Amino acid sequence: MKELEINKLPQLPFDVTEALNQLRINLSFCGDQIKVIMVTSSVPNEGKSFITMQLWKMMAEVGTPALLIDCDFRNSEMRRKYSIRSVRNEKLLGAPHYLAGKAELDEVIYKTNIPNGFMIPVTSAIANPTILLESPNFTKMLDYCSERFPYVLVDTPPLGSVADALNIARHCDGSVLVVRSGDTPRKVVENSVQLLRRAESPLLGIVLNRADVNNRSSAYYHRYYHSNYYYKGYRGGYGYGHGSAHDKSNSNGGK
Ligand SMILES: Nc1ncnc2c1ncn2[C@@H]1O[C@H](COP(=O)(O)OP(=O)(O)O)[C@@H](O)[C@H]1O
Ligand SMILES: [Mg+2]
């Protein structure tokens, strides 16, 4: 198996690690049939990739082999942001290569320097990935991966902009919706929940990202999501610290 090196994964503050750990544990209680989990959000920059990456790393670190599939084909920033490189400088192949019939599946699944952490990256932006996402190969890829890994985490584009995320949702066992605290309007979040419901994607959890727990609007969000009002499958809300080490580590290459 080829190998990737992830060079820029920062240490997170204790409270953020703790919240992610809660999310990991709650997902593990969703049952054995929930293996392929997509992480999505309503708009860009809510923290989908951040949460996917950190959750994946945490799963791997506790000894559960986990595969991260980057399915943000139009606009993936993972490679740059986390400084992901091929260990032996081989040509990187990603999910689109397999989906377009240009590589075998085994050629796009990489081991990483995170023990138990495996990844299918995206190597370059694709302007119109709809055909790839709707191809039979997409189903084959997820079936193959879910047979081989206890967990498959799928990073996606936002629900609000294009149909990609909903296309992906149809193939996953459930979704985690990331909401940027104090930023994403309530209506927009409601709309995303409706979209996932229509796609029949069980909502496994809502992550309240970058919450300032001393802030009144965050307190509001906590009440709102804990009300269990919007979705039957919803299991809880998670607050994450604002302005963690992650931002600092990205100060050279981040947004
Ligand atoms: N909880 C967090 N703490 C600190 N930085 C975060 C957090 N969540 C996201 N970020 C940062 O915010 C930016 C946008 O996050 P990203 O995961 O790329 O969003 P998305 O994938 O939803 O577009 C990135 O620079 C990311 O590192
Ligand atoms: Mg992203």
Side-chain angles (χ1 to χ4, degrees), residues 77 88 139:
E77 299 214 313
R88 278 175 286 278
T139 321

Side-chain angles (χ1 to χ4, degrees), residues 147-235:
E147 273 167 28
R148 278 158 188 79
F149 296 94
Y151 280 110
V152 178
L153 294 184
V154 183
D155 188 24
T156 66
L159 285 159
S161 1
V162 282
D164 297 357
L166 287 179
N167 264 330
I168 297 166
R170 291 190 293 125
H171 300 283
C172 297
D173 301 323
S175 48
V176 168
L177 183 68
V178 178
V179 175
R180 184 160 179 163
S181 171
D183 205 68
T184 318
R186 173 186 175 138
K187 277 268 167 234
V188 173
V189 179
E190 280 176 14
N191 187 50
S192 296
V193 173
Q194 289 291 350
L195 286 172
L196 290 171
R197 194 193 305 233
R198 262 184 255 138
E200 296 183 8
S201 174
L203 186 52
L204 306 170
I206 293 181
V207 172
L208 185 63
N209 196 23
R210 313 194 81 168
D212 174 359
V213 286
N214 299 316
N215 178 304
R216 281 187 62 207
S217 64
S218 299
Y220 154 75
Y221 265 114
H222 274 291
R223 279 203 308 279
Y224 183 74
Y225 290 118
H226 276 291
S227 72
N228 208 12
Y229 175 69
Y230 280 98
Y231 206 88
K232 252 175 103 186
Y234 164 63
R235 318 268 154 140

